[in-house]
Amino acid sequence: MEGSWNYQPCRNGHPFPMRKADTCLDFLCKYCGKTLNVFTYHQCYAVNAYCYKCRHHGHFARMCNFHVKSCEIRKPKKKSKSKIQRDSDRMRTFIEKKQMSQFPFQGLEDKELSAFTCSIQDESAKLHINKLKESNRNFIKEIAALKCENSKLDTVIQENVMLRNSLDNLNLERLKHVRLIQTIELELAEHASGTQNFEIEIMRLKEENRNLTNTRQRLTMEFKNSDMQYNRILNDMEDEIQRLKEENVNSKHEIQHLDIKHSNQDVRSTLAICSRGNSQQRHRRGGGYPRR
């Protein structure tokens, strides 16, 4: 049981913890990490110690409970190019040694290997050499065949390059044709829209022409009716004019007849007046007026 803490003021005025003597047996100090039978803060070894973890005084770094923040975590150092090359060389040599350890003659020394090779019979060596020569001849033949195939492959590669160039040209021509087809399709769409507009305009003009023909027929009928009425009126007027002319002629004849009558009357009246005047002159010459 740890017991309870008693806070008492220190010299600087700050409280520091105190333990009772009966409860401090085999106690592990949280400042220095040691066990003491009788413990006080003044007897601790870490009173004036400096913590390199939290950078505070009063405890050792091994007893510090300070959690390092994420921003204070040191980033791992990057290796230089020379160190990276050194590590890669070491790893390569290690892998080579590990692979060589799988062979059965890895544990043998150079002297043992030379003694083992000298113990082989000469005949077996000759047979082995002959086999190697035959295999070498076969390899030479295969190399010649491969050279022929390589020359054929070179010609095939040249043909392939030519075909690829022709294919590129064909692709370019195809792209040109595709563009031409697209432009032609656009023009056809425009012409189709234009033809639709023309058809609509033609239908409208046909309707207008139909309306105009109807109006023309109506106007011709009206004109014919008006012409007939005008002709009828003209005929009536001509008849009336003829009648008036005849009346005028008759009136002229009557006027002439009346003029003749009036002229005869005037002549008679003038003759009567003349005769009366002559008789009066005669009486005047005879002396005085005639008797009544």
Side-chain angles (χ1 to χ4, degrees), residues 129-192:
I129 289 165
N130 291 325
K131 288 180 180 179
L132 290 173
K133 285 181 179 179
E134 289 178 358
S135 63
N136 192 8
R137 289 171 186 170
N138 294 324
F139 283 134
I140 289 166
K141 290 179 181 179
E142 289 178 357
I143 287 164
L146 289 172
K147 284 182 179 179
C148 293
E149 290 179 357
N150 193 6
S151 62
K152 291 179 181 179
L153 287 172
D154 291 333
T155 56
V156 170
I157 288 165
Q158 290 177 0
E159 291 177 356
N160 192 5
V161 170
M162 293 173 69
L163 290 171
R164 190 172 291 172
N165 292 324
S166 63
L167 183 63
D168 293 333
N169 294 323
L170 289 172
N171 287 324
L172 291 172
E173 290 179 357
R174 186 178 63 81
L175 289 172
K176 289 180 181 178
H177 288 300
V178 168
R179 289 175 183 173
L180 287 171
I181 289 164
Q182 289 177 356
T183 53
I184 290 164
E185 286 178 353
L186 291 171
E187 289 178 357
L188 287 172
E190 290 177 356
H191 286 301

Side-chain angles (χ1 to χ4, degrees), residues 24-207:
C24 292
L25 297 174
D26 297 331
F27 178 72
L28 184 65
C29 181
K30 66 177 181 179
Y31 299 108
C32 62
K34 295 182 179 181
T35 56
L36 296 173
N37 292 327
V38 179
F39 172 76
T40 58
Y41 187 75
H42 296 286
Q43 295 176 355
C44 182
Y45 294 100
V47 174
N48 296 320
Y50 177 76
C51 179
Y52 294 99
K53 190 175 182 181
C54 65
R55 298 177 183 178
H56 289 86
H57 294 276
H59 61 276
F60 292 142
R62 63 185 177 183
M63 299 302 293
C64 183
N65 293 323
F66 179 74
H67 296 284
V68 181
K69 295 181 181 179
S70 61
C71 61
E72 295 181 359
I73 295 172
R74 293 182 180 180
K75 295 181 180 180
K77 293 182 179 180
K78 293 183 179 179
K79 291 183 179 181
S80 62
K81 292 182 180 179
S82 60
K83 289 183 178 180
I84 292 167
Q85 186 67 29
R86 182 196 64 191
D87 294 337
S88 63
D89 293 336
R90 287 178 180 176
M91 185 59 70
R92 187 174 63 254
T93 53
F94 174 74
I95 291 166
E96 288 177 356
K97 287 180 180 179
K98 190 174 181 181
Q99 290 176 355
M100 291 295 289
S101 64
Q102 296 176 1
F103 292 102
F105 55 84
Q106 179 64 25
L108 297 176
E109 295 181 357
D110 295 335
K111 292 180 180 180
E112 293 176 353
L113 287 171
S114 62
F116 178 75
T117 53
C118 291
S119 64
I120 298 171
Q121 295 179 1
D122 295 334
E123 293 179 357
S124 61
K126 288 180 181 180
L127 292 171
H128 186 65
I129 289 165
N130 291 325
K131 288 180 180 179
L132 290 173
K133 285 181 179 179
E134 289 178 358
S135 63
N136 192 8
R137 289 171 186 170
N138 294 324
F139 283 134
I140 289 166
K141 290 179 181 179
E142 289 178 357
I143 287 164
L146 289 172
K147 284 182 179 179
C148 293
E149 290 179 357
N150 193 6
S151 62
K152 291 179 181 179
L153 287 172
D154 291 333
T155 56
V156 170
I157 288 165
Q158 290 177 0
E159 291 177 356
N160 192 5
V161 170
M162 293 173 69
L163 290 171
R164 190 172 291 172
N165 292 324
S166 63
L167 183 63
D168 293 333
N169 294 323
L170 289 172
N171 287 324
L172 291 172
E173 290 179 357
R174 186 178 63 81
L175 289 172
K176 289 180 181 178
H177 288 300
V178 168
R179 289 175 183 173
L180 287 171
I181 289 164
Q182 289 177 356
T183 53
I184 290 164
E185 286 178 353
L186 291 171
E187 289 178 357
L188 287 172
E190 290 177 356
H191 286 301
S193 62
T195 52
Q196 289 179 358
N197 294 324
F198 283 131
E199 287 177 356
I200 293 165
E201 189 69 20
I202 287 163
M203 293 295 289
R204 187 178 63 79
L205 291 171
K206 283 181 179 179
E207 289 179 357

